[in-house]
Amino acid sequence: MTTPHRRFKDAIYEQLARLGKAVSAPKRLELLDLLCQGPRTVEALAEQAALSVANTSQHLQVLRGARLVDAEKKGLWVEYRIADDEVCRFFLALRGLAEARLAEVDQVTREYFDERGAMEAVEAGELMRRVKRGEVTVLDVRPPEEYRAGHIPGALSIPVGELKGRLKELPKHREVVAYCRGPYCVMAVEAVELLRKKGFTAHRMEEGVVDWRARGWRVEGGGAQP
Amino acid sequence: MTTPHRRFKDAIYEQLARLGKAVSAPKRLELLDLLCQGPRTVEALAEQAALSVANTSQHLQVLRGARLVDAEKKGLWVEYRIADDEVCRFFLALRGLAEARLAEVDQVTREYFDERGAMEAVEAGELMRRVKRGEVTVLDVRPPEEYRAGHIPGALSIPVGELKGRLKELPKHREVVAYCRGPYCVMAVEAVELLRKKGFTAHRMEEGVVDWRARGWRVEGGGAQP
DNA sequence: CAAGTATTCAACTGAGTGCTTGATTAGTCA
DNA sequence: TGACTAATCAAGCACTCAGTTGAATACTTG
């Protein structure tokens, strides 16, 4: 005895659950997070998320089934990308809620960052102000493709791995603020560690480009389809 | 060979997935939606979501495990409630994303509403303007508890089931806008159908109190712990 | 065309999930 | 105290899902 009313409700929540299911696996969330930084091939995603290629492909198909990502065949590669900016904002909402409600997130983060020599982070709004006043050098330490897919206006691109050999590109007596993919990415932490060892005044910003864009602030580079 | 770095990432995304898992079951989403309207007992939720009590209880425990809802023992009953307003906003974000990305949502809704005699809905912003100008009677057709838990300022409370016998409470030559729980709730649809049959000029608003509050607009009644 | 590569497919396994059923635990009220 | 009630628990079943492995597909390049 199912009324049409009930069938309708079931159908609707079934649809909502498609999105829920898509973000119910840790690895899929990691892939989504990576894709928010910019488009990538299956192989690259597999490597960065520490997954087998076949497994990555399957996860990506689930994400695509939920219309969260799009795939485009580019010659030998398949390039996956976020289907819509709203997807990134949704991911941020999920992350924000987890930070707000799940004490474990804070705990795990603290544990990990503390043992690497904690450091106060500069908040995005604060950075924005200092950038406007021309007080700081902003440093993007992500891989160059991600920098190209979108970065904070005026930021320098030096991938963390190359930083040691390219220190001379940074003005010496000026504060540096490094950022990477977001609060759970360690590249900026490593960069700041290195910079301080070399005598720079350096801080990290927790937020990434995705947060920056979600605040409605301008992002340089990237655009639609490259 | 798992580096500390990998372990950290796995731990973080594992936490995010707790939220994802919580919203990956259709019935849990329905319960969450209901709870956004106001606190309720297990039994009430079970009935409204067409579930067995035991099953409802289990779903609620999953939601509580993800810190999305809180439970409070009140004598013989256990009252469940949304843990934080941010949870409602997250639900709205999920729903919005589903509407934006999943064509099936629109399709299912259209199918159901069309066969009940479609009707143009008044958008919340438009209603807000008309309310300010004192042009319309706003009608809340949800059960009284939900009205009490929070309603649009100035709205009249007449549950849809009682509407037929309480028509005289409505000013006759004035437009009525009815609302209920949100876009997938049919109570307002039924109310408008009835009102029109009785000679009223009536429209429905798709948005519910949750949407109203999420826009930052004032909500009457409810408050913290009743 | 053939060799090589990125991705997907297909089949399988073990773990997890939604739901049911029947028993159990807390609390109320006569 | 004992009958009654709301909620939870425990066990079991059918089903789904993440991940592995090995083969198949589609495209490029020599």
Side-chain angles (χ1 to χ4, degrees):
Chain A
M1 190 226 69
T2 53
T3 71
H5 181 181
R6 195 17 66 200
R7 268 202 304 281
F8 167 66
K9 290 213 148 171
D10 287 348
I12 287 289
Y13 291 110
E14 179 88 37
Q15 292 301 320
L16 300 197
R18 281 173 68 188
L19 296 189
K21 286 202 179 89
V23 294
S24 70
K27 287 300 185 180
R28 276 201 292 274
L29 285 161
E30 185 165 1
L31 292 172
L32 209 54
D33 197 359
L34 284 168
L35 284 170
C36 282
Q37 303 294 322
R40 245 167 282 227
T41 67
V42 178
E43 206 180 21
L45 287 164
E47 203 225 307
Q48 293 177 29
L51 285 174
S52 76
V53 172
N55 195 6
T56 306
S57 174
Q58 281 170 162
H59 278 308
L60 288 168
Q61 280 169 68
V62 175
L63 289 174
R64 202 171 54 161
R67 300 286 145 78
L68 296 179
V69 307
D70 282 335
E72 191 190 349
K73 186 116 199 185
K74 287 201 166 175
L76 204 47
W77 293 276
V78 175
E79 190 180 81
Y80 278 85
R81 58 172 65 231
I82 289 293
D84 189 315
D85 246 27
E86 202 172 338
V87 175
C88 293
R89 284 199 295 277
F90 174 67
F91 175 79
L92 286 185
L94 175 69
R95 204 189 66 191
L97 189 61
E99 283 166 9
R101 305 278 332 146
L102 303 176
E104 290 87 343
V105 172
D106 198 56
Q107 187 199 317
V108 169
T109 313
R110 206 171 293 275
E111 255 170 44
Y112 183 62
F113 282 154
D114 276 3
E115 84 182 16
R116 301 183 63 91
M119 55 196 61
E120 349 60 86
V122 177
E123 195 271 330
E126 173 59 23
L127 177 61
M128 182 55 145
R129 274 190 296 280
R130 290 207 223 163
V131 167
K132 273 188 179 151
R133 277 187 261 133
E135 288 175 6
V136 295
T137 304
V138 182
L139 183 61
D140 186 320
V141 295
R142 298 174 302 160
E145 317 88 67
E146 297 179 30
Y147 176 84
R148 256 179 273 124
H151 56 265
I152 293 179
L156 244 68
S157 169
I158 306 182
V160 67
E162 302 174 17
L163 186 54
K164 202 163 193 169
R166 294 173 61 182
L167 285 174
K168 64 188 63 150
E169 296 177 33
L170 290 169
K172 188 81 189 185
H173 298 292
R174 194 145 179 261
E175 190 188 340
V176 177
V177 172
Y179 73 90
C180 50
R181 289 170 184 157
Y184 310 124
C185 176
V186 270
M187 297 190 291
V189 180
E190 283 174 19
V192 170
E193 267 176 324
L194 176 66
L195 288 171
R196 288 189 177 178
K197 214 171 283 170
K198 297 295 182 181
F200 286 85
T201 307
H203 290 282
R204 91 188 174 99
M205 174 177 75
E206 277 199 353
E207 288 88 347
V209 176
V210 191
D211 306 80
W212 193 268
R213 185 188 282 118
R215 292 189 186 209
W217 297 342
R218 199 168 66 82
V219 165
E220 218 167 54
Q225 319 288 63
Chain B
M1 189 224 72
T2 55
T3 69
H5 180 181
R6 196 17 64 200
R7 268 202 304 279
F8 168 64
K9 290 213 148 171
D10 286 349
I12 286 290
Y13 290 110
E14 180 87 37
Q15 291 302 319
L16 300 198
R18 281 173 69 187
L19 296 190
K21 286 201 180 86
V23 295
S24 70
K27 286 300 184 181
R28 275 200 294 273
L29 284 161
E30 185 165 3
L31 292 172
L32 209 53
D33 197 0
L34 284 168
L35 284 170
C36 282
Q37 303 294 322
R40 244 166 283 225
T41 66
V42 178
E43 208 180 20
L45 287 164
E47 202 226 308
Q48 294 178 28
L51 284 173
S52 75
V53 172
N55 195 6
T56 306
S57 174
Q58 281 170 160
H59 277 308
L60 289 168
Q61 280 170 66
V62 174
L63 288 174
R64 201 171 53 161
R67 303 284 146 76
L68 296 179
V69 306
D70 282 334
E72 191 190 349
K73 187 115 199 185
K74 287 201 166 175
L76 205 48
W77 293 276
V78 175
E79 189 179 82
Y80 278 84
R81 57 172 67 231
I82 290 292
D84 188 317
D85 247 26
E86 201 172 339
V87 175
C88 293
R89 284 199 295 276
F90 174 67
F91 176 78
L92 286 185
L94 176 69
R95 205 188 67 192
L97 189 61
E99 284 167 8
R101 305 278 332 149
L102 303 176
E104 290 86 344
V105 172
D106 198 57
Q107 188 198 317
V108 168
T109 313
R110 206 171 293 274
E111 254 170 45
Y112 183 62
F113 283 153
D114 277 1
E115 84 183 16
R116 301 183 64 91
M119 56 196 60
E120 348 62 85
V122 177
E123 196 270 328
E126 173 60 22
L127 177 60
M128 182 57 145
R129 276 189 295 279
R130 290 206 224 163
V131 168
K132 273 189 180 152
R133 277 186 260 132
E135 288 175 4
V136 295
T137 304
V138 182
L139 183 61
D140 187 319
V141 294
R142 298 174 301 160
E145 320 86 67
E146 296 179 30
Y147 176 84
R148 256 178 273 122
H151 55 265
I152 293 179
L156 244 70
S157 171
I158 306 182
V160 67
E162 302 174 17
L163 186 54
K164 203 163 193 168
R166 295 174 61 182
L167 285 173
K168 63 187 65 148
E169 297 178 32
L170 289 168
K172 187 82 190 186
H173 299 293
R174 195 144 177 259
E175 190 188 341
V176 176
V177 172
Y179 73 90
C180 50
R181 288 171 185 157
Y184 310 125
C185 175
V186 270
M187 298 190 290
V189 179
E190 283 172 19
V192 170
E193 265 176 324
L194 176 66
L195 288 171
R196 289 188 176 177
K197 214 171 283 172
K198 297 294 182 182
F200 286 86
T201 307
H203 290 281
R204 90 186 175 101
M205 174 177 75
E206 278 199 350
E207 288 88 347
V209 175
V210 191
D211 305 80
W212 193 269
R213 187 189 279 119
R215 293 190 187 207
W217 297 342
R218 198 167 66 81
V219 165
E220 219 166 55
Q225 319 289 62

